[in-house]
Amino acid sequence: MPLSGVVEFVGRKKELQNLHQLLQDNKQVAIAAIAGMGGVGKTELALQYAKAHHETYKGGICWLLAKTEDVGIQVVQFARTQLDLNPPEDLTEDSNQKLLAQVQYCWRRWREGDVLLVLDDVSDYEQVKPYFQSLPSRFKVLMTTRQNLGRIAQLSLDVLQPEAALELLRSLLKETPERIGRELTVANQLCEWLGYLPLGVELVGRYLARKQDLSLAEMLRRLKNKRLDERSLSKSKSEADMTAQRGVLAAFELSWQELEDDDKQLGCLLSLFAAAPIPWKLVEQCLPEEDTEDLEEIRDDSLLNLHLLQRKGEGIYQLHPLLREFFQYKLTGLEQGEEFKRSVCRVMVAVAKDIPETPTLQQITDVTPAIPHLAEVAKNLIQYVSDDDLIWTFTSNARFYYGQGLYNQALPWYEQCLKVTKKRLGEKHPDVAQSLNNLAGLYESQGRYSQAEPLFIQALALYRKLLGEEHPSVAQSLNNLANLYNSQGRYSQAEPLFIQALELYRKLLGEEHPDVALSLNNLATLYRSQGRYSEAEPLYIQALALWRKLLGEEHPDVAASLNNLATLYNYQGKYSQAESLHIQALALRRNLLGEEHPDVALSLNNLACLYYSQGRYSQAESLFIQALALYHKLLGEEHPSVALSVNNLATLYNFQGRYSEAEPLHIQALALRRKLLGEEHPDVAVSLNNLAKLYYLQGRYTEAEPLYLQALEICEQRLGVNHPWTVKCRENLANLRDRLSSNPE
């Protein structure tokens, strides 16, 4: 039996127990196979098992190397040298059966007690099978192999758990333990990059032990740069005490040599996908000319059988990270390599185009397995994507995150999209305009209005120059800039743009189009913001009817339309109509978008506002608190929606006479709005008015008056003298002055 070269055996306690159980469970012959990819530690586990249970096998432990020499010859040699047995030469006249007869002679006369026979690295079980067919039941046979041996009891060995991999690395650096403590995060990243493969971790750990001045961060950088060519992954001559006889590349090469050409090609194709679970249907789409059953045969009989591929679930498969590196290494010399890259890009672009602008939760769930592979194309295969499809690989990733309200995760994709499209297509291209528009829209959703505006203006100018005045993209750009102005309270600038966009959409797309519905909805929202409720209502109703007709009842745009009309009804005092629509909108958003989405928070907030208007304060408070918590979680501390939510909760507390709770919230909302929206935004006026109202109710009239004055000035300038908010603010100031005149301080 060879000597183990492991410094410290970690992470395999459960596997050792399972292996012993497998070997003991069979009444006659127990043949257990430790299967797994190269480098996973099959031989080491067999060695550790033999060491741990040598007392169990009183008849001895016989270690056989399946690939080096005929197993029968090795058995006879072992019997002669270790057991003093001397099988006769004349047991049979058939020369072909002579060796088999000698082996059987040895089995019959073997030392008393249970016996463990270990066959290391079996590649062809049929060659060794004849020697074990008449084996007495006291013999236990343990094989290590890269293959699936069919009906034979099998212990499949996986990579180490992350904590065990880190412990293995720590054991190899025990003479300089401070290195792990100093770079713990990097140590974990190092193990992750190696895919927790024991051979990889051991080789790198031993290399680091020899290079005491080499930081773990630099080691990781070298691995990422040189990949499998990094010398730390090769077995050094100085590591003669290692159990493993090969480096990572050499270990994988043994499996490669057992593959047919078609097997190799499929492995190389799989390596182009991300280091993540791969939906098999994507692989089939990359090879449309190949027979589906033939591909399954290659997958199951070759790659899975040799443990070069893992099944992760129904229709889901994955390459180990280092095996993926290995197949990519081989891809460079493959004739079909370039064709495979274009094919993967073609398939992933098709997936990208199917992700809608406002995806539902179900659509998000359906596309989630493809997202890492879309990201892989955008990051590493973008040169194989055509100019016409270039933008899709980035926008689809952004839509995936944006659709969940994960704006910070969507942001780098839109930023990268703009950078790449400019570089490849030049500054003057419609896709550059679209990229500007998309990034600006994200900034607006984040409340970063000052950053959004110049991008929207650039996009509009570029569309007009490239496409002329009458084009749907120009209408879209007008609408988006108008939306921004509306969010900023710049209503007089927003209105003509909304009207232009609506007229253009109608002219180019006809009356029945989702973009026409959107334009009607947005113009109605502007009128609502201006207090022009009678003008807003018919537009909202038209938009809702159009969306229902074109998109069906269950669509995020229908939910938004229900919410907007309900909010208008609340402003108009039509509470029973508003409540029904708000409840519908909230239920629809929860169903379509999930519980954690900014639009769900908005619906909670708006329904709370309705309950507040109706005097249903306990119901309102619960919803306001839920909305605020959700906004905080999704959007962070500094966002206009967070300020709105804080303001609304403060207003409720104020009305309930809970002044000590209301005041800090009013102050917080005002400060946040000033910071995010500027001094002259209508929402700042609302916060000034509400804080003044709090002071008024507390009898703090001298503190309230300047706030009312500031609020009234902003409302008159930005909303006009007849806007409902302006009128309300004027009334509040008049009431205060009446109180001051009747109760002078």
Side-chain angles (χ1 to χ4, degrees), residues 327-475:
F327 278 120
Q328 284 194 352
Y329 182 86
K330 291 294 187 180
L331 182 71
T332 57
L334 200 67
E335 183 182 340
Q336 300 89 342
E338 297 296 293
E339 178 188 338
F340 283 169
K341 290 174 183 177
R342 285 189 291 271
S343 184
V344 169
C345 290
R346 171 183 53 78
V347 168
M348 296 318 303
V349 165
V351 172
K353 290 180 177 180
D354 281 341
I355 301 176
E357 195 168 344
T358 53
T360 64
L361 185 64
Q362 185 58 53
Q363 289 167 327
I364 291 291
T365 301
D366 290 344
V367 80
T368 293
I371 290 300
H373 311 298
L374 274 170
E376 179 67 18
V377 168
K379 291 175 182 176
N380 297 315
L381 295 173
I382 197 64
Q383 66 271 34
Y384 296 95
V385 176
S386 70
D387 290 355
D388 289 343
D389 292 331
L390 181 64
I391 196 170
W392 284 104
T393 52
F394 300 99
T395 56
S396 59
N397 279 288
R399 283 179 177 183
F400 175 77
Y401 294 112
Y402 187 93
Q404 300 173 75
L406 303 173
Y407 301 141
N408 289 336
Q409 288 171 260
L411 180 60
W413 289 110
Y414 277 141
E415 289 175 333
Q416 187 69 8
C417 185
L418 179 58
K419 180 180 178 181
V420 172
T421 50
K422 277 183 173 180
K423 184 177 180 180
R424 168 120 46 118
L425 306 176
E427 295 281 342
K428 297 178 180 179
H429 192 280
D431 283 353
V432 172
Q434 186 63 51
S435 298
L436 287 163
N437 177 77
N438 291 342
L439 182 56
L442 180 61
Y443 284 156
E444 182 183 2
S445 297
Q446 293 179 304
R448 298 161 65 178
Y449 300 143
S450 61
Q451 290 170 270
E453 185 178 0
L455 299 186
F456 274 139
I457 291 171
Q458 285 179 59
L460 176 58
L462 195 50
Y463 274 138
R464 280 174 159 158
K465 181 175 183 178
L466 297 172
L467 306 175
E469 288 291 335
E470 296 193 350
H471 192 279
S473 294
V474 172

Side-chain angles (χ1 to χ4, degrees), residues 548 559 562-563 565-567 569-570 574-588 607 610-611 614 616:
R548 278 176 159 158
L562 288 165
N563 170 80
L565 183 57
T567 302
Y569 286 156
N570 188 21
K574 301 177 181 179
Y575 299 139
S576 61
Q577 291 169 271
E579 183 173 4
S580 172
L581 297 182
H582 270 316
I583 290 172
Q584 284 181 61
L586 176 58
L588 198 49
L607 183 57
L610 173 68
Y611 289 156
Q614 293 177 298
R616 297 157 67 178

Side-chain angles (χ1 to χ4, degrees), residues 62 86 114 220 235 287 294 318 359 382 405 588 629 664:
C62 176
N86 190 21
D114 287 348
L220 182 59
K235 189 170 185 293
L287 299 169
D294 289 344
Q318 185 173 0
I382 197 64
L588 198 49

Side-chain angles (χ1 to χ4, degrees), residues 64-110:
L64 307 167
L65 300 173
K67 281 191 175 181
T68 59
E69 189 178 17
D70 188 291
V71 166
I73 294 174
Q74 293 182 64
V75 170
V76 172
Q77 289 176 340
F78 182 90
R80 284 174 174 161
T81 58
Q82 302 296 323
L83 305 176
D84 293 328
L85 294 177
N86 190 21
E89 298 291 334
D90 56 354
L91 289 173
T92 177
E93 294 181 1
D94 186 344
S95 59
N96 294 325
Q97 294 295 313
K98 177 181 175 182
L99 181 58
L100 179 59
Q102 288 181 315
V103 170
Q104 290 172 346
Y105 174 93
C106 295
W107 297 151
R108 290 192 298 271
R109 290 163 177 78
W110 205 274

